[in-house]
């Protein structure tokens, strides 16, 4: 018999070894704990079995294997899983002010309602931005609302953190000069997934300090349109990012634009002009020309959403997508927030059936 079995009305070809490997009977799969029940020997034996007989009826696939084992599959589950027909929210790339206008604003008081929480998470998946209003301007209230999504991620900056209260971290974010838009923690092996910002206190006479926001997926899209080779270079050439302070020394290599090897879609931007280490990239000349083009696009005013963080309004950014910065400022400016891991955020999105 062939190494594929065609099933369903569309006669979708399914690999036979994969079918046997993914039997979901009680002998092969623990449905209480959602895990496989298999030994090394059983696996090596199973991949050599053949289909003895099979039937399709009542939306199910019934298979009898050459070793006597019997399997029953939901035909739709097999086809959807094999073809990676997943539930997903397609990201919509945004120009400038759209990043404020398009996302649904969710009131802090409504986050206990499942549908409102889904709207918030859907907004982050779709636009890279989530906005919560009517929150108390305290770190405690910020943490409470964040935990509706996931537990805050502990890093070298702490779990819940404030900026503007005599911090000791060696990072330009803690100064009052301008910050070029960037993604945080490019030096971590898994960069932090979401960033939460909430303004607590601002001098009435203070000037500047506007948050500057750019959709990194949009920048990559423009780069690809203007020069496909430059885009390709930034998906291939790895650069190292580095962070050093007493007790910590982080390093991580990767391309500026990360592409899913299967779908070929962009899933992460790793741009931070401050944290690049001195390690020379491979194909240095190609990299610098492509990187300069990326920066030239970032210099275009129409791409920016500029806004002042306000007490009571919490803004959440997808740090794998949205680049954030700040204009220089004077006076006291205290805000708080935290990071959430991408793993935990996507877990919540799956439990709410927004993605699979």
């Amino acid at each position: 018999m062939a190494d594929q079995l065609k099933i369903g009305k569309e006669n979708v070809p399914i690999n036979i070894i994969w079918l046997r490997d993914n039997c979901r009977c009680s002998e092969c799969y623990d449905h209480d704990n959602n895990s496989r029940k298999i030994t090394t020997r059983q696996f090596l034996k199973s991949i050599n079995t053949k289909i003895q007989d099979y039937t399709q009826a009542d939306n199910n696939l019934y298979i009898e294997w050459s070793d006597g084992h019997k399997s029953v599959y939901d035909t739709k589950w097999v086809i959807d899983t094999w073809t990676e027909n997943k539930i997903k929210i397609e990201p919509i790339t945004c120009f400038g002010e759209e990043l404020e206008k398009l996302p649904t604003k969710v009131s802090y008081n409504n986050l206990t309602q499942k549908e409102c929480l889904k709207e918030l998470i859907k907004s982050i998946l779709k636009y890279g931005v989530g906005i919560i209003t009517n929150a108390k301007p305290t770190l405690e209230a910020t943490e409470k609302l964040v935990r509706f999504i996931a537990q805050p991620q502990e890093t070298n900056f702490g779990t819940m953190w404030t900026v503007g209260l005599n911090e000791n971290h060696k990072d330009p974010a803690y100064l009052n000069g301008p910050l070029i838009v960037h993604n945080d923690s490019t030096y971590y092996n898994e960069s932090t997934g979401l960033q939460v910002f909430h303004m607590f206190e601002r001098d009435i006479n203070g000037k500047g300090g506007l948050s500057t926001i750019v959709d990194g997926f949009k920048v990559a899209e423009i780069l690809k349109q203007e020069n496909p080779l430059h885009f390709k270079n930034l998906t291939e050439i790895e650069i190292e990012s580095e962070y050093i302070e007493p007790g910590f020394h982080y390093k991580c290599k990767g391309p500026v634009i990360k592409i899913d090897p299967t779908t070929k879609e962009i899933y992460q931007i790793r741009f931070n002009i401050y944290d690049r280490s001195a390690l020379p990239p491979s194909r240095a000349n190609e990299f610098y020309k492509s990187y300069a083009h990326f920066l030239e696009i970032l210099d275009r005013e129409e791409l920016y959403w500029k806004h002042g963080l306000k007490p009571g309004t919490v803004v959440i950014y997808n740090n794998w997508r949205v680049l954030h910065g700040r204009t220089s400022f004077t006076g006291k400016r205290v805000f708080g927030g935290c990071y959430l891991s991408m793993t935990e955020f996507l877990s919540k999105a799956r439990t709410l059936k927004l993605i699979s």
Side-chain angles (χ1 to χ4, degrees):
M1 186 175 286
D3 60 358
Q4 292 181 334
L5 179 66
K6 294 182 178 180
I7 70 171
K9 295 178 181 179
E10 299 84 8
N11 286 321
V12 178
I14 309 292
N15 181 275
I16 288 172
I17 297 175
W18 181 87
L19 273 172
R20 180 56 190 269
D21 183 43
N22 288 284
C23 177
R24 288 302 191 256
C25 78
S26 58
E27 289 181 41
C28 297
Y29 196 80
D30 182 344
H31 289 271
D32 290 332
N33 295 300
N34 299 302
S35 63
R36 297 176 187 267
K37 295 161 63 176
I38 192 166
T39 66
T40 304
R41 185 171 293 180
Q42 287 171 332
F43 174 79
L44 293 173
K45 180 183 176 183
S46 69
I47 65 171
N48 292 312
T49 56
K50 308 294 181 184
I51 291 179
Q52 194 73 32
D53 194 18
Y54 72 93
T55 56
Q56 297 184 64
D58 301 323
N59 299 316
N60 287 328
L61 171 66
Y62 303 85
I63 296 180
E64 184 175 337
W65 299 94
S66 58
D67 63 355
H69 189 77
K70 294 181 180 181
S71 302
V72 180
Y73 304 87
D74 178 282
T75 305
K76 184 178 185 303
W77 178 84
V78 171
I79 293 173
D80 285 351
T81 307
W82 175 254
T83 59
E84 296 191 271
N85 182 23
K86 298 179 179 180
I87 304 168
K88 64 178 182 177
I89 294 177
E90 295 289 349
I92 296 177
T93 54
C94 302
F95 271 109
E97 297 298 326
E98 292 176 337
L99 281 168
E100 179 183 25
K101 295 175 182 176
L102 289 174
T104 302
K105 294 177 176 62
V106 177
S107 173
Y108 172 81
N109 300 320
N110 294 332
L111 284 176
T112 54
Q113 300 173 24
K114 186 176 179 180
E115 287 307 310
C116 290
L117 181 59
K118 286 176 72 172
E119 282 301 311
L120 174 63
I121 292 176
K122 190 186 297 183
S123 173
I124 299 169
L125 290 167
K126 199 171 184 178
Y127 306 113
V129 175
I131 300 173
I132 303 101
T133 59
N134 303 314
K136 291 183 180 179
T138 65
L139 199 61
E140 293 74 21
T142 308
E143 179 176 359
K144 187 175 180 180
L145 75 84
V146 162
R147 287 184 179 274
F148 284 108
I149 303 173
Q151 62 183 8
Q153 180 181 8
E154 185 172 357
T155 69
N156 55 301
F157 299 103
T159 304
M160 300 296 300
W161 36 255
T162 57
V163 177
L165 290 176
N166 303 314
E167 300 84 354
N168 295 316
H169 296 292
K170 306 298 183 181
D171 190 287
Y174 293 92
L175 306 176
N176 64 350
L179 285 176
I180 297 169
V181 289
H182 59 279
N183 307 106
D184 271 13
S185 61
T186 55
Y187 38 77
Y188 290 165
N189 289 91
E190 183 185 284
S191 297
T192 48
L194 303 187
Q195 288 184 299
V196 179
F197 289 127
H198 189 187
M199 182 64 70
F200 299 148
E201 186 179 348
R202 184 73 173 102
D203 276 356
I204 192 168
N205 295 319
K207 296 181 180 180
L210 291 177
S211 293
T212 53
I213 309 301
V214 174
D215 183 352
F217 285 5
K218 188 67 178 180
V219 176
E221 184 181 281
I222 293 170
L223 179 67
K224 188 175 184 179
Q225 291 171 355
E226 294 184 354
N227 193 316
L229 180 59
H230 285 174
F231 174 85
K232 184 172 182 288
N233 288 341
L234 293 188
T235 67
E236 294 177 346
I237 301 172
E238 294 193 336
I239 59 169
E240 184 180 75
S241 295
E242 183 175 41
Y243 182 88
I244 303 170
E245 70 174 24
F248 299 97
H249 189 170
Y250 299 107
K251 281 187 178 185
C252 184
K253 287 179 69 177
V256 173
I257 303 170
K258 286 191 171 184
I259 301 290
D260 186 289
T262 303
T263 65
K264 307 304 178 186
E265 296 173 346
I266 300 170
Y267 73 90
Q268 184 180 0
I269 305 295
R270 286 182 70 254
F271 176 83
N272 192 311
I273 200 166
Y274 301 103
D275 294 334
R276 284 184 302 121
S277 78
L279 185 72
S282 63
R283 301 157 57 188
N285 286 339
E286 293 173 89
F287 168 74
Y288 284 117
K289 288 179 181 178
S290 304
Y291 197 68
H293 191 169
F294 192 93
L295 265 73
E296 187 275 318
I297 296 170
L298 278 181
D299 208 30
R300 300 177 190 178
E301 193 67 23
E302 68 271 17
L303 289 175
Y304 282 76
W305 168 32
K306 295 182 179 180
H307 68 285
L309 294 172
K310 298 177 181 178
T313 298
V314 180
V315 185
I316 301 177
Y317 305 122
N318 177 350
N319 183 54
W320 285 22
R321 172 179 174 179
V322 173
L323 290 77
H324 68 282
R326 181 196 63 214
T327 63
S328 61
F329 66 94
T330 61
K332 193 173 184 180
R333 184 176 183 270
V334 181
F335 67 92
C338 64
Y339 294 125
L340 302 180
S341 81
M342 186 59 73
T343 296
E344 295 297 334
F345 170 65
L346 294 179
S347 171
K348 174 60 74 172
R350 291 188 192 98
T351 63
L352 293 174
K353 309 298 182 185
L354 293 172
I355 60 173
S356 58

